[in-house]
Structure formats: C-alpha cells, structure tokens
C-alpha cells in the first residue's frame, strides 16, 4: 500500500480519538451466562440455536480479506486469560487443553465459562465458520489456550474469592508463557501497579510472549477494583505490553474507555458477533464499545503478524502493529487512541527501515559513536623510505613481470582463434522464436 493511499484512509479515520475498554458482561448468575450481554439478536436470549448470518463488520475494517491470503494465524497459540472458554461448534478443534486456576470445583482444563466473557473473546480471535453462521475469527488458523482466572463478578463470587484478582491474573500469565503461547490476551485491567503482576509480564516477555491487555472500561465490573478515572491501567501500562482502547460504531474511541499513557492501539469494540457459551452465536456490546472486545481483535491481529514473521521478537511484532496503525498524526501517540486503529495487513507487509514515522523501531539498531576509553598514543610520521620500502619494491617488480606474461599469452590466444575462423566453413544463421517469438506475416 502506498503512502498516498494510506493518507486517504487516515483522513477517513482521523476522528478515531475516542477509546474503548474491557467489554465485560453484567454479573453472571450461577444459572449460566449473563443475559444482559445478549444484544442485537432476533431472540431475547442467545441460545445453542442462535445464528448470526452476517460476517462480523469488524473483519472488513481489520483488513481480513487482504491479510488472509498471506496468513490466517497458523502456528500461533493465543492464550485467553479470562473467565474460561466454553464448548461451541465455532471453536471445535482449535482449543488446546488449558487450566482452571479458580478453586470453584469446575473442570481443570478451563472449559467452563458461566460468565461468557472468555468464550466471546476466543471466538473473535479464532472462530471457525459453521453452517448458517457468518461468525468467524480474525485469525481462524490460530489455536486458543484457555486460562481461567475468575468465575465472574457477582458479589457472591467475589466474596467467595472467585472474582478477578491480580495474584491469579499474574499466575495465569505465567502459565500461558510456560505453555508457549506467543500471544497472551488479557481483557482485564487494574489501576494498581502491582509488582507480582509486573514480574509475570516480564517473565512472559522473556519467554517470547507478547501480552495484549485492555486499557480499561469506564464501567469496569471485571476489574479487581472500581475506578472510573482516566490514568494508567495494568498490565496494559507495563513496558512492552500493548494496551488497547475500543472504537465505537461511529469509528472513534469514546469516553467508555479509560484514557491514559498506557493506550497503544485501538480496535473495534462495539456490536461484536462471536461465539457464545450455550453453543450458539451472540452479539455483545451493542450499547457502547468495550475494551475487552477490542483487545481480542488486537490479539488476533498480533497472531497474524506472529504467524507471518515467526523469527521476529514480540517487540518487533508490536512495533509492526503500532507503526502501521491508522492515525491522523503519524508522529504522535494519543492517550485516547494510542498509535491508532490496528491494520493487520499493513503490519504484515511493512518493510522495517529508518524512514518510518511513529514509534521507536526495535529493528533499527542505534549506531554507537566512537569514544576512546583512554588517551590514544601519538602517531609517528616517517619521512623517507619506511621499514617496508624494500618489500614494496620487490612486490612491484614481480607484479609488472606478471602483467607482461599475461599480455603475451592473451595475444597468442587471439592469433590462434582468428586462424581457426579463417579455415573453418561458416555456419548458417540460427532460426527460431528468438526473444519475442516468430514475427507475424502481414
């Protein structure tokens, strides 16, 4: 894509100065997924038979048709550190054995999701097409690793110790890294700059994982604490983590997201069609954008980049995504939308170099300036024949003699060749197609 065509798209998306956060459902009951998450469907509740026939609108703005001929995320594992990933036909064959870190007596592989949050995210990332449904993930060839770190946000669950907390979140990030997940999706945020959480993120980065985390929602039921003020959220705010804001239906990041220095990128986060724990489809976030859903799409975009460039580092994957995001000012990161709206295809095909504008590139190594560690010794200048004068004279003489001999041999070869040409019969000129084929007769 040319710079001119990208500039045209920047003008169209220049209004993307809003923000998104974790799109979390209302508190779930023990009976099943929260009904208030269900929206924009033809039924009052999403069930096993619910199907959304349309392709998710977000896939078009996220360049899926351009990126998929190059890669669909094969060879990449995305860990969903969340409320679990339930069974759903969209997810058949793509969910790896995971873990349940919540001591609530449910299955140990992380396949229970009474809150619906993790199942929706898994579908956004890697849902497969099924009959009667248009729902598909942005990286459908990627694998999902479920890491269940909370059961829900209902008061009884929180009081029982089954709600979101930083200790279990940190444990989940470490587990995902140990399992080899290249991308770790964390659609949870906290305003606490927790040392245990920071250590877990650093551990994951050392093991080759890229952590993608939500910037936080103004109404943050899924956070360990309630705080609707703008400012850094974590783990999004830790170095090397991609913090994600949510773009609403109008194409901008709204006040539904927390704004701050931790925002790196933006992605669609409203009216998201995905997989549902009861086995069908559902559309979530109809009323306002949420960073949970936006984070899932950036994780999927990161999976595409990691699949296309497996030898690169997490920092280089992140740079590709940030440098190629659509924004009004190429050199400026915003506390609202970060470096702009993620564009996976552009990130895949980007050729790293010194001329790119935007974030600092991990591809370009700084050239260290020479600085002497001690006072250099004085240099002696010799006038007249130096110590190597005799050797130089001898070598020069040998070189001249060699050139004379080569000249004599060349002259003899030319003479013999010409004599052969004069005595040999001449061959007819070759015929055939030539460079462009036979000439047409008029």
């Amino acid at each position: 894509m040319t710079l001119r065509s990208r500039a045209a798209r920047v003008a169209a998306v220049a209004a993307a100065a809003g923000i998104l956060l974790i799109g979390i459902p209302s508190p779930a009951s023990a009976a099943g997924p929260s009904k208030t998450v269900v929206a924009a469907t033809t039924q009052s509740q999403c069930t096993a038979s619910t199907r959304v026939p349309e392709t998710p609108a977000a896939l078009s703005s996220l360049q899926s048709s351009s990126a998929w001929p190059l890669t669909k995320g094969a060879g990449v594992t995305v860990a969903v550190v969340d409320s679990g990933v339930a069974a759903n036909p969209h997810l058949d064959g793509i969910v790896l054995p995971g873990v349940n870190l919540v001591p609530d007596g449910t299955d140990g592989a992380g396949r229970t999701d009474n809150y619906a949050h993790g199942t929706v995210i898994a579908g956004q990332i890697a849902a497969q097409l099924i009959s009667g449904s248009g729902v598909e993930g942005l990286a459908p060839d990627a694998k999902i690793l479920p890491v269940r770190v909370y059961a829900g946000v209902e008061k009884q669950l929180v009081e029982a110790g089954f709600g979101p907390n930083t200790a279990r979140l940190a444990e989940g990030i470490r587990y995902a890294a140990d399992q080899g997940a290249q991308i770790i999706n964390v659609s949870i945020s906290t305003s606490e700059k927790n040392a245990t959480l920071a250590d877990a993120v650093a551990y994951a980065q050392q093991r080759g994982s890229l952590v993608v985390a939500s910037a936080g929602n103004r109404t943050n039921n899924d956070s360990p604490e309630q705080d609707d003020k703008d400012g850094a959220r974590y783990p999004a705010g830790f170095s090397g983590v991609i913090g994600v804001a949510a773009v609403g239906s109008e194409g901008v990041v709204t006040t539904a997201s927390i704004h701050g220095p931790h925002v790196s990128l933006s992605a669609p986060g409203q009216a998201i069609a995905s997989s549902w724990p009861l086995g069908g489809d559902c559309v979530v976030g109809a009323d306002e954008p949420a960073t949970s859903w936006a984070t899932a799409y950036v994780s999927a975009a990161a999976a595409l980049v990691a699949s296309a460039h497996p030898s690169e580092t997490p920092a280089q994957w992140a740079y590709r995504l940030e440098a190629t995001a659509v924004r009004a000012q190429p050199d400026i990161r915003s506390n609202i939308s970060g470096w702009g709206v993620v564009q996976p295809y552009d990130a895949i095909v980007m050729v790293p170099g010194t001329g790119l504008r935007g974030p600092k590139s991990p591809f370009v190594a700084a050239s260290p300036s020479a600085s002497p560690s001690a006072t250099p010794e004085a240099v002696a200048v010799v006038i007249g024949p130096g110590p190597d004068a005799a050797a130089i004279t001898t070598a020069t003489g040998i070189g001249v003699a060699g050139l004379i001999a080569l000249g004599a041999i060349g002259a003899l070869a030319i003479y013999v060749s010409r004599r052969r040409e004069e005595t040999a019969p001449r061959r007819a000129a070759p015929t055939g197609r030539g460079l462009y084929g036979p000439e047409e007769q008029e």
Side-chain angles (χ1 to χ4, degrees):
M1 180 174 294
T2 64
L3 292 176
R4 183 169 298 179
S5 62
R6 280 186 56 78
R9 284 197 301 123
V10 167
V13 193
I19 189 171
L20 266 183
L21 206 140
I22 314 172
I24 297 166
S26 300
S29 65
S34 169
K35 294 181 181 180
T36 58
V37 187
V38 181
T41 64
T42 57
Q43 303 179 21
S44 60
Q45 180 180 2
C46 295
T47 67
S49 60
T50 303
R51 295 291 182 267
V52 177
E54 296 82 14
T55 300
L59 294 186
S60 175
S61 63
L62 292 172
Q63 301 182 304
S64 61
S65 60
S66 298
W68 285 351
L70 303 177
T71 177
K72 288 189 173 183
V76 175
T77 296
V78 182
V80 176
V81 182
D82 213 277
S83 60
V85 177
N88 184 291
H90 283 292
L91 305 177
D92 286 350
I94 66 166
V95 181
L96 302 172
V99 68
N100 176 23
L101 299 176
V102 183
D104 60 352
T106 58
D107 77 282
R111 298 308 305 273
T112 298
D113 185 12
N114 290 326
Y115 189 50
H117 197 254
T119 305
V120 172
I121 288 170
Q124 288 182 258
I125 295 169
Q128 311 293 293
L129 283 174
I130 62 174
S131 177
S133 173
V135 169
E136 190 171 13
L138 179 59
D141 285 353
K143 298 295 185 183
I144 297 295
L145 178 70
V147 183
R148 188 170 184 256
V149 295
Y150 72 103
V153 297
E154 193 174 31
K155 182 179 179 181
Q156 294 91 324
L157 294 174
V158 173
E159 290 178 348
F162 303 152
N165 66 63
T166 53
R168 201 155 45 227
L169 178 57
E171 185 181 358
I173 291 173
R174 284 178 174 271
Y175 173 86
D178 285 339
Q179 300 307 305
Q182 293 97 324
I183 311 300
I184 302 177
N185 184 99
V186 183
S187 289
I188 304 172
S189 72
T190 175
S191 58
E192 178 189 2
K193 192 174 183 180
N194 181 275
T196 301
L197 190 56
D199 289 344
V201 168
Y203 177 82
Q205 292 169 344
Q206 290 168 2
R207 295 185 69 86
S209 301
L210 173 62
V211 179
V212 182
S214 57
N217 296 318
R218 198 71 59 184
T219 54
N220 51 355
N221 292 332
D222 60 333
S223 298
E225 75 289 317
Q226 301 298 308
D227 186 353
D228 62 358
K229 300 182 183 64
D230 286 333
R233 294 293 187 274
Y234 302 93
F238 293 128
S239 177
V241 177
I242 296 181
V244 184
V247 173
S249 57
E250 300 299 319
V252 299
V253 177
T254 73
T255 56
S257 295
I258 296 295
H259 306 168
H262 60 302
V263 181
S264 305
L265 287 170
S266 309
Q270 187 167 4
I272 303 299
S274 189
S275 51
W276 190 245
L278 296 175
D281 301 350
C282 202
V283 177
V284 299
D287 296 333
E288 66 179 9
T291 55
S292 287
W293 319 137
T295 301
Y297 276 137
V298 173
S299 289
L304 295 178
V305 171
S307 176
H309 301 283
S311 63
E312 293 182 359
T313 66
Q316 290 170 334
W317 297 335
Y319 173 75
R320 284 180 175 275
L321 294 166
E322 293 170 359
T324 57
V326 176
R327 54 189 176 276
Q329 299 294 330
D331 300 316
I332 299 175
R333 187 204 65 82
S334 164
N335 279 349
I336 298 174
S337 56
W339 289 105
V341 180
V342 69
Q343 301 287 274
Y345 170 77
D346 290 348
I348 291 169
V349 301
M350 183 200 80
V351 178
T354 56
L356 295 175
R357 299 168 64 179
K360 183 179 179 180
S361 173
F363 289 95
V364 181
S367 299
S369 57
S371 54
S373 57
T375 303
E377 296 180 359
V379 177
V381 178
V382 179
I383 299 182
D388 295 327
I392 293 173
T393 301
T394 302
T396 302
I398 293 173
V400 171
L403 289 175
I404 293 173
L406 287 174
I409 293 171
L412 178 60
I414 293 172
Y415 172 78
V416 172
S417 175
R418 287 180 177 176
R419 291 292 298 167
R420 286 179 178 175
E421 289 180 358
E422 291 174 358
T423 58
R426 296 193 176 273
R427 292 175 294 176
T431 60
R433 294 179 55 84
L435 183 60
Y436 301 104
E439 296 182 358
E440 297 182 0
Q441 300 296 325
E442 296 183 354

